Amino acid sequence: MKKVVFAIIFVLILGTSLVKNSTKEIEDKIFMVNETIRPLKLELGDVLLEYNYLSSPDKLTQYQTQYFEKDLIKIDITKIKKLNKKSNNIKISDFLEKIIDE
């Protein structure tokens, strides 16, 4: 009877140590992944802040007046042309393709 109880306790202790070791390995992997993700999250936050702050229409208008003064002018986008060079021929076409609603 003592041998059976001892064997059961031994199996339980062995099973517990195996589970604990595998749990520790999984926790180490999770920690390493989180450490890899942390700087990426910070960089993403910085890039989003920069994108949202610097490219807002108000900021772009402010930068235009601050740095370019009167150098930049507004034009109609449909008046912009595209140049395509094939061989020695140059083809001029509209930058935006016109969509005809029927």
Side-chain angles (χ1 to χ4, degrees), residues 64-96:
Q64 175 189 351
T65 58
Q66 183 177 357
Y67 296 112
F68 300 108
E69 294 178 10
K70 302 289 181 186
D71 294 340
L72 300 177
I73 58 171
K74 293 182 183 180
I75 63 170
D76 185 9
I77 196 168
T78 59
K79 294 181 181 177
I80 298 175
K81 301 295 181 185
K82 177 171 54 173
L83 299 175
N84 293 323
K85 181 179 179 184
K86 291 184 182 178
S87 304
N88 288 334
N89 298 330
I90 296 177
K91 180 182 176 187
I92 300 174
S93 59
D94 290 332
F95 182 71
L96 296 176

Side-chain angles (χ1 to χ4, degrees), residues 12-55:
L12 290 175
I13 291 173
L14 183 65
T16 303
S17 65
L18 290 175
V19 169
K20 188 175 180 179
N21 280 341
S22 30
T23 302
K24 178 69 174 143
E25 289 174 7
I26 291 171
E27 286 177 348
D28 288 342
K29 288 179 183 178
I30 290 171
F31 176 78
M32 293 303 296
V33 168
N34 284 337
E35 288 300 309
T36 304
I37 290 174
R38 183 175 300 159
L40 296 175
K41 283 183 178 179
L42 290 173
E43 185 178 348
L44 175 64
D46 292 343
V47 168
L48 285 174
L49 175 65
E50 181 179 324
Y51 174 76
N52 291 332
Y53 180 73
L54 294 179
S55 57

